[in-house]
Amino acid sequence: KAAMNIMRLFGLIVLLPLLACAQVNFREAPGKIEISIDGEPFSNVYFGSGHAKPFLHPLRAVSGTIVTRGFPVDQVEGEHQDHIWHHGLWWGHGDINGVDFWRDLGPEKTGRMVAKQKPLTARDTLTLNAELVTPSKEVLGTVGEAYRFSRSGSDRVVDAHISIRADHGVPLRMGDTEEGAFGLRLAEEFREERGAVMTNSEGQTGRKIWGKRARWVDYSTAIKGEKLGVLILDHPSNPKHPTYWHARHYSLCSANPFGESDFENDKTRDGSAVIPAGGVLEFRYRVVIHAGMLDAIDPEKLFKEYSGTL
């Protein structure tokens, strides 16, 4: 019954035939849940009080190669140590009712997303709920995060379902800022100056993809001679699809539907969204960690397959 409830929450039952069966295992450790796929380590979900928000770290390709930056969780020689709040894969936003839930400048300055209990796991899916706690200790609402892990051939897949719930008696205003929202900080080799190729669904490449609307974005590179990439898909059911992308040359890539004034360089625009008290705003994304560069996969086919799921 618990497994079915999680699957209903995630809305992914129709996904099951599309992806190859994989054995996903979860193991509880202090402040985190360890995730393995087919007996090989894949990632950890960190949810403990020592961090400003839950996140997945690191992410690994089928080969075992880590595709996310180590810092600040792991110290890796030669890595840039900017943006301490860039942790692997996470969700956050820089303006919720005027509070910054994207950066981590300490609990006195920025908000925290505090897990109400340890994550629930069933089959191949992990779910958690985190309260939006302001520096003044006010709880604004709740963010539900559900992640399904799978394998498709030589690719590993993470399906994410983010539910922003105004369940504490006040509306939530998702402000217009570039600082958000569904983000990945990739390994140093995914920096443009290191040879990474950044491409979106509209055929734009490199730094031109920043602030543009697209159905998907891909970062491909080579790590110690191994060619691989990370493709992020925006589900067509998402508000404002196709989303804007806060996609940087230094290996940050985030889907952000709210930051219109920044992305369009037009301060007369207002990309904010208000969730009424008792309401919910939902987003779905798929992350595909693939072998080979972009030309080794068919992103349009993958997007079409993903578009048929809900």
Side-chain angles (χ1 to χ4, degrees), residues 164-182:
I164 311 158
R165 302 194 288 268
D167 56 1
H168 278 68
V170 297
L172 297 179
R173 183 180 184 275
M174 312 299 295
D176 185 334
T177 172
E178 70 176 22
E179 304 298 347
F182 180 74

Side-chain angles (χ1 to χ4, degrees), residues 45-47 52-56 89-91 113-115 128 130 145:
V45 173
Y46 287 82
F47 64 94
K53 60 180 68 67
F55 60 93
L56 277 69
L89 183 154
W90 75 100
W91 187 90
M113 294 171 55
V114 180
L128 62 87
E145 302 182 23

Side-chain angles (χ1 to χ4, degrees), residues 56-160:
L56 277 69
H57 167 89
L59 299 181
R60 295 178 174 90
V62 168
S63 65
T65 299
I66 293 175
V67 300
T68 46
R69 183 178 71 165
F71 180 80
V73 179
D74 300 317
Q75 299 296 318
V76 179
E77 185 177 355
E79 276 192 341
H80 287 77
Q81 297 190 353
D82 57 276
H83 300 85
I84 195 170
W85 49 91
H86 290 178
H87 294 85
L89 183 154
W90 75 100
W91 187 90
H93 191 59
D95 180 357
I96 303 178
N97 288 13
V99 180
D100 187 347
F101 287 93
W102 176 257
R103 299 174 182 87
D104 179 8
L105 303 178
E108 299 82 14
K109 295 182 179 180
T110 47
R112 297 177 66 82
M113 294 171 55
V114 180
K116 295 195 286 187
Q117 60 186 31
K118 70 179 182 181
L120 301 176
T121 59
R123 297 171 62 177
D124 50 11
T125 301
L126 178 147
T127 63
L128 62 87
N129 290 290
E131 292 183 330
L132 295 165
V133 182
T134 72
S136 62
K137 309 302 182 185
E138 178 187 4
V139 178
L140 299 178
T142 303
V143 176
E145 302 182 23
Y147 299 98
R148 177 179 182 258
F149 307 97
S150 57
R151 176 175 175 172
S152 179
S154 58
D155 303 337
R156 279 181 169 166
V157 180
V158 180
D159 284 298

